[in-house]
Amino acid sequence: MQLLDGKKTSHEIKQEIAEKVRTIKAEGAKVPHLAAILVGHDGASETYVASKVKDCEEVGFTSTLLRFEADITEEALLKAVEDINDDVDIDGLIVQLPLPKHISVQKVTDRIKAEKDVDGFHPINVGKMAKNLPAYIAATPYGIIQLIERYKVETSGKNCVVVGRSEIVGSPMSILMARNAYPGNATVTLCHSKTKDLNNIIKNADIIIAALGRPEFITGEMVKEGAVVIDVGITRVADETKKSGFALKGDVKFDEVAPKCSFITPVPGGVGPMTRASLLWNTLLAAQNVIYKS
Ligand code: GUN
């Protein structure tokens, strides 16, 4: 069993990005600039955005954090997005989700210029990704792809089962693993809450990508010997033995599943840090106009 070490790999990616920033600076060019919009005071969102800002500092990017109260109108938020769209110094923009209920996520993500949509949520980027054209790929799927690539995990002709069909992870992951590329060329099954006979489908998988958000859902007996297991889940579960009062649990029962695997991601330290590194990578691509150069 080999660990797909997201912590180590993301550290390597960050070093590569930092090196590129040093070259950019030495050439007197503009350093990449990421803007993040945070609405309200959701605890998890505060943590995520703070990490993103810290990551930018670490690699030498400029970052701008725009904070709004939860009662901001949809119109005012859309105007803030447009102002950033028009700001030539800013290369990438993310609007941290979730947003308050009175604001349409669709409207907000659609308003971000596709060229600055480093989250890869805009329909233009989703469409281009599906057509295997250059596009910003959402950070979690992109992080998984990079992890598979860097560990040279074989995917061609494999049975890949994606559990969970979220717009941000499961759905794009299923498209990426099926496309005619590496990583890809897998035979993909996308499972969700209406799937029948889930256990049998998982049991036949060479590659399992678990992104359903149910702690320790996938147990040892559900997994085939030699499988590759990517665990996207990260749920806070009460744990009195921890100082914080909670433990972070993946969708996979690691202790049972790991001994059967050829590769597996730990939680924490697997997909999570790769997601963070991928946002930086997308921002670098945005600054260099790699994806949308005409
Ligand atoms: N909320 C949870 N995941 C994400 C993400 O990848 N991007 C943004 N903007 N918000 C999120």
Side-chain angles (χ1 to χ4, degrees):
M1 185 274 289
Q2 195 179 355
L3 216 53
L4 294 169
D5 189 340
K7 201 171 161 195
K8 177 169 155 268
T9 309
S10 68
H11 187 67
E12 288 163 8
I13 293 173
K14 279 194 204 168
Q15 283 184 327
E16 289 167 28
I17 295 172
E19 183 56 41
K20 286 190 199 296
V21 173
R22 279 192 285 276
T23 309
I24 290 168
K25 278 187 178 159
E27 289 168 347
K30 190 187 89 64
V31 301
H33 185 172
L34 175 71
I37 292 181
L38 176 60
V39 181
H41 298 272
D42 175 73
S45 293
E46 296 258 9
T47 310
Y48 289 142
V49 169
S51 312
K52 289 168 186 177
V53 169
K54 184 172 148 273
D55 289 340
C56 284
E57 278 168 14
E58 230 179 281
V59 297
F61 289 0
T62 309
S63 65
T64 299
L65 172 58
L66 285 114
R67 299 195 62 135
F68 299 102
E69 290 304 319
D71 62 359
I72 185 175
T73 63
E74 188 179 83
E75 200 185 350
L77 186 58
L78 291 171
K79 171 76 171 55
V81 167
E82 278 173 6
D83 288 346
I84 294 174
N85 282 343
D86 295 338
D87 186 332
V88 290
D89 196 73
I90 295 173
D91 302 297
L93 166 63
I94 59 156
V95 177
Q96 188 63 33
L97 304 178
L99 289 171
K101 286 198 170 48
H102 66 280
I103 298 174
S104 156
V105 172
Q106 178 92 37
K107 268 194 200 165
V108 173
T109 49
D110 287 10
R111 193 64 65 93
I112 299 171
K113 243 189 194 171
E115 292 90 331
K116 295 193 180 189
D117 168 40
V118 286
D119 251 336
F121 294 166
H122 193 285
I124 290 180
N125 282 314
V126 177
K128 285 184 181 235
M129 182 266 301
K131 285 169 69 75
N132 208 2
L133 294 169
Y136 295 111
I137 297 171
T140 300
Y142 193 23
I144 295 170
I145 289 293
Q146 294 197 71
L147 201 53
I148 289 174
E149 203 171 2
R150 284 177 186 242
Y151 277 86
K152 300 186 170 60
V153 176
E154 259 185 62
T155 59
S156 182
K158 303 290 182 192
N159 277 335
C160 174
V161 172
V162 180
V163 191
R165 61 175 154 189
S166 71
E167 254 185 61
I168 296 184
V169 185
S171 170
M173 213 51 239
S174 68
I175 294 167
L176 292 166
M177 292 303 283
R179 65 185 188 176
N180 188 1
Y182 176 75
N185 279 319
T187 305
V188 178
T189 309
L190 179 57
C191 300
H192 46 76
S193 53
K194 303 287 189 294
T195 297
K196 291 201 175 94
D197 211 10
L198 181 65
N199 284 29
N200 255 331
I201 295 171
I202 293 175
K203 189 86 196 184
N204 274 316
D206 303 308
I207 303 170
I208 300 166
I209 301 173
L212 67 161
R214 284 175 62 179
E216 302 190 321
F217 179 84
I218 295 183
T219 57
E221 60 181 22
M222 290 163 78
V223 176
K224 176 164 97 175
E225 205 62 53
V228 176
V229 174
I230 313 270
D231 188 351
V232 187
I234 187 148
T235 309
R236 285 181 177 193
V237 176
D239 185 341
E240 284 168 11
T241 68
K242 296 269 191 289
K243 214 163 55 182
S244 58
F246 65 84
L248 293 173
K249 293 276 181 204
D251 289 347
V252 175
K253 205 161 189 174
F254 187 88
D255 294 349
E256 280 183 25
V257 174
K260 300 182 87 175
C261 293
S262 54
F263 294 96
I264 186 167
T265 60
V267 174
V271 174
M274 291 303 296
T275 298
R276 286 170 59 178
S278 296
L279 177 64
L280 295 173
W281 196 262
N282 276 345
T283 305
L284 180 70
L285 295 177
Q288 298 183 330
N289 199 23
V290 173
I291 305 281
Y292 280 89
K293 63 172 175 262
S294 49

